[in-house]
Amino acid sequence: MGTRALLLLTPAFKSDCNLLNHFTKYGFHQTVRQQEKLFRVGVRKFSVHSSLERPNVARLAETARISLTPQEAEEFAPKIQQVVDWFGQLQDVDLQSIEPAIRPDTEAGSFREDNPEAFDNREAIIAAIPNYEEPYIKVPKVLNKD
Amino acid sequence: MLSSVQNPRILLLHHCRRSKPLHHHHRLRRHHYPKSIHASPLPHPISASLPTSQIQTIQKSILSREKTTRQFAEEFLTRLRTTEPHVKSFLHVSETVLNEADEIDRKIDRNEDVGPLAGVLVAVKDNICTADMPSTAGSKILENYRPPFDATAVRKLKESGAIIVGKTNLDEFGMGSTTEGSAYQVTSNPWNLECVPGGSSGGSAAAVSARQCVVSLGSDTGGSVRQPASFCGVVGLKPTYGRVSRYGLVAYASSLDVIGCFGSSVADAGILLQSICGHDKLDATSSKREVNDFTSQFISKDYFESQPLKGLRVGVISETLGDGVNQEVVSSIRGAISHLEELGCTVTEVSLPSFSLGLPAYYVLASSESSSNLSRYDGVRYGNQTVSDELSSLYGGSRANGFGPEVKRRILMGTYALSAGYYDAYYKRAQQVRTVVQKSFKAALDLHDILISPAAPSAAYKIGEKKNDPLAMYAGDIMTVNVNLAGLPALVLPCGFVKDGSASLPVGFQMIGAAFDEEKLLRVGHIFEQTLQGYSFIPPLIADEFKSSSVKIYQLG
């Protein structure tokens, strides 16, 4: 596991004492003690985790169905790598006892009845289809010989 | 620490002194203003007018028949035509504005009800669907796309009598902080045409700033309403997640996206929000909570008490005023804080230690959700399609041609973060950070009525400055992304300026409230704005026009 440093907007903590006071008050003891070492003035340190495979841009592009040119793939690779490395700082925080939140907890979702309804502007939907032959959407062959 | 804050009057004096002899137009070599709107010294000292609600003015004038809706519409369209070649905020301008204005005038003649937004020209960000105008989301993949329906927010605007004046420019699918990521054009900041307007709702912010429309809709996934509002010197309101239906908003990151409002006054942003919010059965995440009438609190400052915000507990987020934040931005915020103190607020510092961790968590969530949401653009059912003899290369080719580089990169990063075996390391961890962020905001908002921070760590920067450095651009979102993770409402309003060569660029400050408490933010914002003396947030591009129409009044004062 190597360590990298990246200059980033820095959280300015007056002192560790302040930080701990805050957390004693609000209670994220575990999290904070782990986080504490991350907050450094000027430079944010984080680890690059060798256990996670680095992004293979060509393979990702294939998965995402985006035909990249070789030049694009070459140009994207370092930028994507840089951001993914930066994501890596999430590995250094102890979040073990914390439930993931799938959305803001402002309000629970409410689902409507799942009843089909006719949409009254069918023509506009059809007009937007690039390749249409009544009543079908036309596409090239689906099966690949390979 | 807060006792050392400068008195706003002192700031004001500094400000006037440095702005007095300077002329903005020296800086604009690449652009030439038409004679009628040539730039003037800025900002206007002392005689500056307080922002007034343009919506209320229009409503009053047309109902009393003092002025027709057509006259107002023509006024805005004329300004739009003169300023648009410089600002380029619109991707599409409606051709039916004057007809719609005439229709409202006829209804008024017949004494029919015309709605609370009658005759109000509203610009709509181009990632919000309009059935009678193209909706491209700033992407080539949706070039000329006309959705078969109106977004719920647009439908509600029309039902309130608003006239949709056009569709505004944005970073493709909302992914960016400068509006340079649009596939179509680069929008300029009306305060300095060489600067970005911010983003992703840069077109909507610039359009309100240049008074090309009365108010506008934007969307805010990680600050896309609030940061451009700060850069362009206008009011920007990000409502609580669930307050406004997302039906018809082109999805970027569904757990974070909200439709937001721009206005040149707090009242206008609030009246606009009132007309678009509420439950919608077409968006399962829209709240069923009752919506209060918060427009009645936009009263004249003549009725304010001497300390109208007495007892209001304001928490300043200490992490947001430290290193890495422009010093002039910090002093503008300190000026705003001491203004709040004069209004009676009790201001204390509050620390949110999870603040900086919110940024990578946000980008993991937004990229992941976008890679899933944008999989719908396959070139088959709508949008641009490339010719191919085989389906999977039709997908790959259409998406390769249709998406710009930033969108491609985010989709690829999201695809990586969601890959089998990595989900726990990235997406799940980011969601856990979201829980931490939500809890720390909740704790801070138990002790404070509102929280304060800058809206961005700097004022507007030059076009091209951060274009090739994604991380530098992402870092600019530090002030805003946490609010989206927690789903809270926030209001950005202009509070000062930073020096920009010989001229000035506006700075906004952010007020964050408890979920569904937009009412309080708007009340505080309105009082703040109506008592902030000595600043004018009318950009140089149009300052002459506004000076000539209002100067008589203010010379008397």
Side-chain angles (χ1 to χ4, degrees):
Chain A
M1 187 190 284
T3 302
R4 285 186 149 213
L6 178 72
L7 193 66
L8 189 70
L9 238 137
T10 49
F13 289 113
K14 296 276 146 33
S15 67
D16 290 349
C17 180
N18 246 354
L19 184 73
L20 290 175
N21 279 347
H22 174 84
F23 273 88
T24 321
K25 205 144 132 205
Y26 299 119
F28 299 102
H29 309 90
Q30 275 186 318
T31 324
V32 174
R33 277 187 201 119
Q34 292 299 320
Q35 283 181 359
E36 196 183 345
K37 64 171 188 277
L38 290 175
F39 297 113
R40 301 262 162 78
V41 177
V43 172
R44 163 59 78 80
K45 296 205 181 235
F46 57 85
S47 311
V48 176
H49 291 253
S50 48
S51 61
L52 293 168
E53 216 178 297
R54 311 196 117 202
N56 175 337
V57 172
R59 213 168 65 208
L60 289 175
E62 209 182 304
T63 311
R65 296 273 190 274
I66 301 175
S67 313
L68 292 186
T69 63
Q71 295 98 298
E72 269 183 312
E74 204 177 305
E75 203 190 303
F76 284 179
K79 286 184 176 172
I80 290 175
Q81 185 63 56
Q82 189 192 18
V83 178
V84 167
D85 286 350
W86 177 68
F87 286 167
Q89 63 188 286
L90 295 174
Q91 316 306 320
D92 297 334
V93 197
D94 179 7
L95 296 163
Q96 224 168 10
S97 58
I98 292 166
E99 278 294 305
I102 58 161
R103 63 167 68 90
D105 66 344
T106 48
E107 198 130 295
S110 57
F111 300 106
R112 66 177 186 270
E113 290 295 306
D114 189 14
N115 295 327
E117 270 177 56
F119 184 73
D120 60 8
N121 198 1
R122 189 170 178 273
E123 293 71 31
I125 296 177
I126 290 169
I129 300 170
N131 208 345
Y132 183 72
E133 259 183 45
E134 178 74 33
Y136 300 110
I137 295 176
K138 215 174 148 187
V139 291
K141 66 178 177 194
V142 175
L143 291 175
N144 194 331
K145 267 180 258 166
D146 311 329
Chain B
M1 166 219 138
L2 287 167
S3 58
S4 67
V5 162
Q6 266 189 294
N7 183 309
R9 289 199 184 86
I10 298 169
L11 289 173
L12 183 74
L13 288 174
H14 286 311
H15 201 72
C16 298
R17 203 178 304 139
R18 86 167 169 250
S19 60
K20 217 173 196 170
L22 307 170
H23 288 264
H24 190 70
H25 60 270
H26 296 310
R27 319 196 57 254
L28 301 165
R29 284 195 202 100
R30 284 192 300 128
H31 305 273
H32 295 280
Y33 291 115
K35 272 192 182 125
S36 59
I37 53 163
H38 80 267
S40 64
L42 260 190
H44 300 306
I46 310 301
S47 67
S49 55
L50 288 172
T52 49
S53 165
Q54 297 186 79
I55 297 178
Q56 286 171 344
T57 305
I58 291 169
Q59 177 89 178
K60 219 172 101 187
S61 306
I62 60 174
L63 291 182
S64 67
R65 294 171 169 78
E66 188 189 310
K67 236 169 134 178
T68 63
T69 310
R70 177 178 257 269
Q71 283 172 314
F72 277 111
E74 280 176 340
E75 203 177 284
F76 278 97
L77 284 181
T78 305
R79 201 177 304 118
L80 194 153
R81 256 178 250 126
T82 16
T83 53
E84 184 58 10
H86 311 288
V87 183
K88 298 198 189 76
S89 36
F90 283 87
L91 292 175
H92 178 86
V93 177
S94 166
E95 282 163 9
T96 60
V97 170
L98 292 178
N99 293 342
E100 289 173 54
D102 288 341
E103 181 55 34
I104 293 167
D105 284 330
R106 279 194 291 274
K107 277 186 177 172
I108 292 170
D109 282 342
R110 296 193 299 259
N111 287 318
E112 286 174 30
D113 186 23
V114 288
L117 293 182
V120 173
L121 267 60
V122 185
V124 175
K125 188 177 181 180
D126 206 32
N127 63 348
I128 300 173
C129 288
T130 46
D132 50 2
M133 291 179 211
S135 303
T136 68
S139 180
K140 277 274 184 271
I141 211 163
L142 288 176
E143 197 170 11
N144 299 319
Y145 174 64
R146 273 170 198 263
F149 56 87
D150 276 333
T152 297
V154 170
R155 176 178 60 77
K156 287 186 164 208
L157 286 179
K158 289 180 175 173
E159 285 167 4
S160 303
I163 300 173
I164 310 298
V165 61
K167 303 300 291 290
T168 56
N169 198 22
L170 68 155
D171 290 294
E172 187 176 358
F173 289 107
M175 297 181 193
S177 311
T178 63
T179 313
E180 294 165 290
S182 164
Y184 299 99
Q185 64 196 33
V186 174
T187 299
S188 284
N189 190 315
W191 288 85
N192 177 350
L193 300 176
E194 290 174 5
C195 287
V196 299
S200 64
S201 313
S204 289
V208 169
S209 173
R211 310 304 194 260
Q212 297 176 318
C213 58
V214 181
V215 287
S216 64
L217 292 186
S219 66
D220 192 314
T221 304
S224 286
V225 163
R226 290 161 287 157
Q227 179 254 28
S230 175
F231 282 15
C232 292
V234 298
V235 176
L237 174 59
K238 177 226 172 277
T240 311
Y241 184 82
R243 187 52 116 178
V244 178
S245 168
R246 289 185 293 113
Y247 180 72
L249 169 65
V250 174
Y252 162 16
S254 306
S255 74
L256 304 161
D257 295 340
V258 292
I259 290 178
C261 308
F262 290 99
S264 55
S265 65
V266 173
D268 280 351
I271 296 168
L272 182 62
L273 175 66
Q274 186 90 61
S275 72
I276 61 168
C277 61
H279 177 69
D280 178 15
K281 66 171 181 163
L282 298 172
D283 174 6
T285 61
S286 74
S287 166
K288 283 186 169 161
R289 238 172 239 249
E290 209 178 311
V291 180
N292 293 340
D293 173 17
F294 39 72
T295 59
S296 55
Q297 58 188 344
F298 302 130
I299 52 168
S300 160
K301 74 171 195 307
D302 303 339
Y303 300 101
F304 291 167
E305 294 157 25
S306 65
Q307 285 208 314
L309 297 178
K310 197 168 175 58
L312 192 86
R313 298 162 306 163
V314 175
V316 180
I317 304 174
S318 46
E319 285 79 7
T320 66
L321 293 177
D323 295 347
V325 185
N326 178 293
Q327 275 314 301
E328 284 181 284
V329 169
V330 173
S331 49
S332 290
I333 304 305
R334 298 225 183 279
I337 290 166
S338 76
H339 183 58
L340 284 169
E341 284 176 323
E342 285 184 3
L343 292 168
C345 298
T346 313
V347 183
T348 47
E349 267 199 60
V350 57
S351 173
L352 298 177
S354 56
F355 208 80
S356 65
L357 208 55
L359 195 60
Y362 165 81
Y363 271 98
V364 167
L365 294 175
S367 302
S368 301
E369 291 186 24
S370 76
S371 78
S372 165
N373 268 326
L374 270 62
S375 64
R376 75 191 64 190
Y377 302 103
D378 57 6
V380 171
R381 292 153 304 150
Y382 47 77
N384 272 338
Q385 183 181 90
T386 51
V387 180
S388 176
D389 57 1
E390 192 256 317
L391 186 63
S392 72
S393 64
L394 181 145
Y395 291 152
S398 301
R399 288 161 68 78
N401 286 346
F403 293 142
E406 179 64 24
V407 172
K408 286 177 187 168
R409 279 197 299 267
R410 290 203 198 182
I411 291 175
L412 296 177
M413 290 184 302
T415 306
Y416 174 76
L418 293 178
S419 305
Y422 297 10
Y423 180 89
D424 281 4
Y426 294 108
Y427 195 68
K428 190 181 166 201
R429 280 189 161 265
Q431 288 186 320
Q432 288 171 310
V433 171
R434 168 147 64 191
T435 302
V436 174
V437 170
Q438 287 170 357
K439 284 186 177 167
S440 64
F441 266 121
K442 203 166 252 172
L445 284 162
D446 280 345
L447 300 173
H448 300 91
D449 294 298
I450 57 168
L451 303 175
I452 298 275
S453 81
S458 74
Y461 39 87
K462 292 281 184 301
I463 290 170
E465 197 177 313
K466 295 190 182 175
K467 214 179 170 192
N468 285 313
D469 189 353
L471 275 185
M473 192 173 75
Y474 297 176
D477 299 337
I478 183 74
M479 303 296 175
T480 45
V481 294
N482 285 285
V483 177
N484 296 76
L485 292 176
L488 301 174
L491 179 67
V492 165
L493 54 166
C495 66
F497 291 92
V498 306
K499 213 166 144 69
D500 168 46
S502 58
S504 301
L505 287 168
V507 174
F509 84 107
Q510 174 174 239
M511 298 192 303
I512 304 159
F516 299 101
D517 203 1
E518 284 85 358
E519 195 172 348
K520 188 185 286 155
L521 290 179
L522 289 164
R523 185 175 78 88
V524 176
H526 175 70
I527 291 170
F528 180 94
E529 162 199 271
Q530 295 299 313
T531 50
L532 186 71
Q533 297 289 328
Y535 292 102
S536 169
F537 292 100
I538 293 170
L541 190 64
I542 54 164
D544 271 10
E545 186 190 342
F546 280 80
K547 223 164 96 187
S548 59
S549 65
S550 60
V551 75
K552 282 168 202 148
I553 304 165
Y554 297 105
Q555 272 172 351
L556 292 175

